[in-house]
């Protein structure tokens, strides 16, 4: 049966074709257009629709580079299904807010809202960020059965690829809406035990197939205002991932490309077997270690991505940049593996030092030979 032509953002994409375009989301005060760029690969054969989306947070642009490289390796004439790619979902947060030199800002500088806290967005009586979410949802995401949401270690930290599956808790608990009415209201009574089991099984299979050395499994109450939570409540299988950081090209980008292609292989959209690391672990506990104070951060040598550390081991020190006085000794609170590590020296209170997978909370592991 011949596949259908797709129209998205006013762009017509024939079966077997790749196309680029942008979603129109409004105008700013000086009439600058707000446009969200996309790439679509419309396969020749039937298969799932997947949304690959990066940079909801503008200070985390490395997912865009991973997706650019990965999709150059996908031939739409041999693809099964359709890939909707939104590599720069929150464009002004990349371009403004910090500066290009400091890799953008987490929120949208136009209204200071977080594009990962406003789903499914609104068109009327809505902030710009809500209108952008609405356009993404109505024009792209609502057509899909799968979502992969890419984040990175921000400008301050480098990070291994890691799958952060948000699964639904056994009791189907959904968080309440935010007080100011921004964000979604959940899915009512649709979360039957069958729905939860089916969704969680698909998320787990996708997380394992992504092929990161560590998977952080989370089953906390669903936040319907997050893109992953909104998908969870609407039959779209979401996977949150992180990879790379510091705005730099290194091995984490190549690994992120491999992981991205693994997902497409897992879903049967492209040919080939997933390329997996020798060992994969799934943990339930994961430490986001942040500084108590400010100063210059000096890492200990040997605290590299992927190394194992013991509880109490020194990761680095925050020093007074004038007097050399040690302000804080940063020690691992767990026996763990370093998943992200700070690469930027100046640090304010609360700055990211490391993400550490708690190896004592391992719930699954696999040797891939
Ligand atoms: Zn993020």
């Amino acid at each position: 049966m011949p596949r259908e032509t797709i129209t998205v953002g006013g762009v017509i994409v024939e079966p077997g074709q790749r196309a680029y375009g942008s979603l129109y989301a409004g105008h700013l005060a000086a009439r600058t257009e707000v446009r969200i760029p996309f790439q679509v690969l419309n396969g020749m054969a039937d298969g799932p629709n997947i949304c690959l989306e990066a940079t909801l947070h503008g200070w985390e642009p490395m997912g865009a580079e991973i997706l650019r490289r990965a999709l150059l390796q996908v031939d739409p004439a041999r693809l099964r299904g359709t890939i909707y790619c939104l590599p720069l979902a929150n464009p002004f947060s990349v371009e403004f807010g910090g500066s290009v030199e400091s890799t953008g800002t987490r929120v949208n500088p136009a209204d200071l809202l977080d594009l990962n806290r406003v789903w499914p967005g609104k068109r009327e009586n809505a902030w710009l960020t809500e209108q952008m979410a609405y356009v993404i949802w109505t024009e792209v995401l609502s057509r899909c059965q799968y979502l992969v949401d890419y984040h990175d270690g921000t400008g301050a930290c480098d990070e291994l690829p890691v799958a952060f599956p948000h699964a639904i808790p056994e009791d189907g608990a959904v968080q309440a809406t935010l007080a100011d009415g921004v964000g979604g209201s959940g899915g009512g009574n649709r979360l039957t035990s069958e729905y939860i089991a089916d969704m969680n099984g698909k998320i787990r299979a996708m997380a394992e197939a992504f092929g990161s050395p560590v998977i952080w499994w989370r089953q906390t109450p669903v936040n319907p205002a997050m893109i992953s939570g909104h998908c969870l409540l609407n039959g779209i299988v979401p996977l949150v991932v992180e990879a790379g950081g510091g705005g730099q090209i290194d091995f984490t980008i190549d690994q992120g490309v491999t992981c991205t292609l693994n997902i497409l292989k897992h879903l049967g959209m492209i040919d080939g077997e997933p390329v997996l690391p020798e060992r994969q672990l799934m943990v339930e506990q994961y430490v986001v270690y942040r500084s108590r104070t400010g100063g210059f951060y000096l890492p200990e040598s040997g605290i590299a991505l992927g190394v194992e550390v013991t509880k109490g081991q020194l990761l680095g020190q925050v020093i007074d940049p004038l007097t050399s006085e040690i302000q804080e000794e940063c020690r691992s609170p767990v026996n763990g593996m370093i998943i992200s590590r700070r690469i930027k020296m100046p640090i304010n209170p609360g700055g990211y030092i490391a993400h550490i997978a708690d190896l004592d909370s391992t719930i699954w592991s696999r040797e891939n030979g």
Side-chain angles (χ1 to χ4, degrees):
M1 194 174 77
R3 288 263 293 170
E4 290 187 1
T5 295
I6 293 169
T7 303
V8 54
V11 175
I12 296 166
V13 196
E14 302 290 340
Q17 297 294 309
R18 178 193 311 262
Y20 303 93
S22 59
L23 304 176
Y24 170 75
H27 277 82
L28 297 185
R31 304 301 292 165
T32 302
E33 280 196 1
V34 181
R35 286 192 170 274
I36 302 163
F38 65 77
Q39 174 177 180
V40 173
L41 284 76
N42 187 9
M44 282 294 279
D46 286 338
N49 292 346
I50 189 169
C51 178
L52 303 174
E53 159 275 306
T55 328
L56 287 182
H57 298 141
W59 62 14
E60 301 164 34
M62 300 318 291
E65 179 61 10
I66 289 167
L67 290 173
R68 186 187 70 78
R69 293 181 185 213
L71 294 189
L72 286 176
Q73 297 187 40
V74 178
D75 177 359
R78 299 173 58 115
L79 175 70
R80 292 177 284 274
T82 302
I83 299 172
Y84 294 89
C85 179
L86 297 167
L88 296 155
N90 198 357
F92 293 138
S93 72
V94 181
E95 294 158 334
F96 303 110
S99 69
V100 170
E101 298 307 305
S102 62
T103 67
T105 175
R106 180 181 176 91
V107 298
N108 184 344
D111 55 16
L112 303 182
L113 288 176
D114 182 335
L115 183 51
N116 204 17
R117 295 293 186 279
V118 298
W119 293 87
K122 282 189 284 188
R123 182 153 66 183
E124 307 294 336
N125 289 327
W127 296 104
L128 174 66
T129 300
E130 296 174 280
Q131 295 188 43
M132 291 166 68
Y134 178 84
V135 168
I136 293 172
W137 170 245
T138 53
E139 293 226 29
V140 170
L141 191 52
S142 59
R143 305 183 190 201
C144 296
Q145 294 89 47
Y146 298 93
L147 165 78
V148 186
D149 172 30
Y150 289 74
H151 296 253
D152 78 31
T154 79
C157 292
D158 198 13
E159 187 164 11
L160 290 175
V162 54
F164 282 166
H166 293 199
I168 304 171
E170 302 300 339
D171 64 0
V174 176
Q175 292 181 27
T177 14
L178 301 179
D180 62 359
V182 173
S185 58
N189 297 320
R190 65 178 298 166
L191 299 185
T192 62
S193 57
E194 292 79 16
Y195 178 91
I196 293 170
D198 179 64
M199 177 63 82
N200 287 356
K202 287 174 177 163
I203 291 169
R204 180 154 177 156
M206 230 165 118
E208 292 174 9
F210 182 66
S212 55
V214 166
I215 300 162
W216 178 24
W217 180 256
R218 283 184 289 184
Q219 259 180 299
T220 51
V222 175
N223 181 341
M226 292 177 71
I227 194 170
S228 56
H230 182 61
C231 287
L232 283 174
L233 300 175
N234 286 279
I236 301 168
V237 182
L239 183 65
V240 181
V241 303
E242 303 211 356
Q248 61 174 7
I249 302 297
D250 65 11
F251 69 97
T252 63
I253 305 307
D254 294 332
Q255 290 185 3
V257 169
T258 299
C259 291
T260 300
L261 296 174
N262 282 346
I263 291 287
L264 300 177
K265 292 170 182 172
H266 168 68
L267 297 176
M269 299 179 74
I270 62 173
D271 292 329
E273 290 296 314
V275 178
L276 300 171
E278 274 181 27
R279 184 151 194 256
Q280 288 177 276
L281 298 171
M282 187 179 293
V283 298
E284 275 187 315
Q285 302 294 331
Y286 194 93
V287 177
V288 179
Y289 188 107
R290 307 174 72 160
S291 72
R292 189 184 65 245
T293 187
F296 278 5
Y297 179 70
L298 302 180
E300 285 296 290
S301 67
I303 302 299
L305 295 182
V307 306
E308 292 191 18
V309 294
T310 54
K311 188 172 179 175
Q313 186 173 339
L314 191 63
L315 308 176
Q317 296 174 325
V318 180
I319 64 157
D320 184 316
L322 184 69
T323 67
S324 305
E325 192 181 348
I326 296 168
Q327 301 299 315
E328 183 173 351
E329 287 191 330
C330 305
R331 295 184 179 278
S332 178
V334 294
N335 298 312
M337 183 187 289
I338 301 294
I339 303 302
S340 86
R341 67 179 194 93
R342 189 173 190 87
I343 55 175
K344 192 174 177 185
M345 188 174 64
I347 189 166
N348 281 325
Y352 295 121
I353 301 284
H355 289 191
I356 309 164
D358 181 348
L359 297 179
D360 293 334
S361 75
T362 301
I363 55 172
W364 170 91
S365 67
R366 179 164 76 181
E367 307 291 333
N368 296 310

